[in-house]
């Protein structure tokens, strides 16, 4: 059972454009939703995270939008740069930020110069 | 060290051999996690330690998988009688106190021939 579903599997965006990645979850007990960025040969690195008590969180060019009733959340990358080309994973956990994570399947983003 | 260190970075083994993968978490981090990442997929939880206690091993796929953290710092993931389906990247992550987000190592890429 895939508890966190992520789409699209891949996307191509022009430099300066907006990348949008969507995730949907099933377990209503999830209450911590981080996004990770992974480059080839490297481990995932935390980008930004949100809890369900807020609908949006912005850090620099990265914004998470959260819809609790729909059990969906999304990552927006504004002004996409070639250095943003990576695989992005949404994840979810219950309780503390350091609890075990359930990951989505990943989205490979390619930013064309 | 500054980050989570995993060794070896690459491991090739013949089917049926035993392998041992090592994780050095960030110094002082109480929580330690192992995840398995198949090619093109998101990481999947294997097991969790709080200090030396293995509190959750629900993600271990079979009794061929065994993890330990005897002194509450370095951890070893052992896979006995390896099978081709064990081929994956094995990621280790640590968290300072369980309340803080996890920091991931760069993983060990295991290939079973």
């Amino acid at each position: 059972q895939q508890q966190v579903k992520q789409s699209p599997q891949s996307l191509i965006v022009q430099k300066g454009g907006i990348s949008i990645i969507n995730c949907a979850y099933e377990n209503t007990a999830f209450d911590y939703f981080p996004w990770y960025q992974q480059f080839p040969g490297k481990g995932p690195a935390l980008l930004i995270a949100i809890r369900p008590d807020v609908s949006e969180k912005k850090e620099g060019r990265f914004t998470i939008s959260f819809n609790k009733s729909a059990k969906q959340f999304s990552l927006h990358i504004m002004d996409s740069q070639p250095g943003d080309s990576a695989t992005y994973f949404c994840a979810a956990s219950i309780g503390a930020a350091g609890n075990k994570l359930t990951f989505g399947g990943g989205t490979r983003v390619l930013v064309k110069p | 060290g500054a980050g989570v260190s995993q060794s070896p970075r690459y491991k090739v083994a013949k089917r049926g051999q035993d392998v041992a993968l090592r994780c050095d978490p960030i110094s002082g981090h109480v929580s330690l996690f192992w995840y398995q990442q198949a090619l093109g997929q998101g990481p999947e939880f294997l097991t969790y330690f709080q200090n030396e206690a293995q509190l959750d091993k629900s993600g271990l796929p079979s009794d061929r998988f065994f993890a330990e953290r005897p002194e509450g710092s370095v951890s070893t993931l052992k896979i006995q009688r390896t099978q081709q389906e064990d081929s994956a990247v094995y990621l280790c992550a640590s968290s300072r106190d369980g309340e803080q987000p996890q920091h991931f190592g760069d993983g060990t890429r295991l290939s079973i021939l």
Side-chain angles (χ1 to χ4, degrees), chain A residues 2-105:
Chain A
Q2 190 178 5
Q3 292 200 56
V4 180
K5 295 183 180 180
Q6 184 171 347
S7 63
Q9 287 187 312
S10 64
L11 70 92
I12 300 173
V13 62
Q14 292 296 127
K15 178 181 176 182
I18 302 173
S19 303
I20 302 174
I21 306 169
N22 300 298
C23 282
Y25 62 97
E26 299 173 4
N27 188 345
T28 55
F30 287 143
D31 59 359
Y32 175 71
F33 303 90
W35 285 88
Y36 282 83
Q37 179 189 57
Q38 186 176 34
F39 293 105
K42 297 295 186 180
L46 179 67
L47 263 181
I48 185 172
I50 198 169
R51 288 201 179 268
D53 53 346
V54 297
S55 60
E56 186 174 284
K57 183 175 181 179
K58 182 177 181 179
E59 289 184 4
R61 296 185 294 109
F62 300 93
T63 299
I64 300 179
S65 297
F66 187 85
N67 186 330
K68 187 175 181 179
S69 61
K71 294 188 288 184
Q72 295 176 348
F73 57 111
S74 62
L75 176 70
H76 291 60
I77 307 174
M78 314 299 286
D79 186 26
S80 297
Q81 299 297 311
D84 296 333
S85 297
T87 300
Y88 293 81
F89 293 96
C90 61
S93 70
I94 300 171
N99 286 347
K100 72 178 180 183
L101 296 165
T102 299
F103 283 86

Side-chain angles (χ1 to χ4, degrees), chain A residues 36 38-39 41-45, chain B residues 3-7 9 22-26 33-35 37 89-94 102-108:
Chain A
Y36 282 83
Q38 186 176 34
F39 293 105
K42 297 295 186 180
Chain B
V4 178
S5 178
Q6 293 188 244
S7 61
R9 288 297 319 276
R22 177 187 170 105
C23 172
D24 281 88
I26 295 172
F33 299 80
W34 284 97
Y35 294 84
Q37 186 174 24
V89 174
Y90 290 84
L91 295 165
C92 177
S94 70
Q102 298 173 35
H103 298 265
F104 283 81
D106 289 337
T108 294

Side-chain angles (χ1 to χ4, degrees), chain B residues 32-33 36 42 58-59 61-62 64 66 70 74-75 81-82 84 103 107:
Chain B
L32 186 146
F33 299 80
Q36 180 190 60
S58 61
S62 77
R64 297 186 296 104
F66 172 77
V74 171
S75 177
R81 305 181 303 281
T82 52
Q84 280 197 319
H103 298 265

Side-chain angles (χ1 to χ4, degrees), chain B residues 2-20:
Chain B
V4 178
S5 178
Q6 293 188 244
S7 61
R9 288 297 319 276
Y10 304 92
K11 176 70 178 177
V12 179
K14 292 183 178 179
R15 186 166 59 92
Q17 288 184 329
D18 298 347
V19 298

Side-chain angles (χ1 to χ4, degrees), chain B residues 24-73:
Chain B
D24 281 88
I26 295 172
S27 179
H29 277 203
V30 168
S31 300
L32 186 146
F33 299 80
W34 284 97
Y35 294 84
Q36 180 190 60
Q37 186 174 24
L39 187 64
Q41 298 185 25
E44 292 193 356
F45 169 80
L46 292 177
T47 188
Y48 159 62
F49 290 85
Q50 185 177 81
N51 295 307
E52 69 277 5
Q54 189 175 19
L55 299 185
D56 188 344
K57 53 182 181 179
S58 61
L60 296 176
S62 77
D63 58 7
R64 297 186 296 104
F65 287 70
F66 172 77
E68 60 183 5
R69 193 185 185 197
E71 298 179 357
S73 56

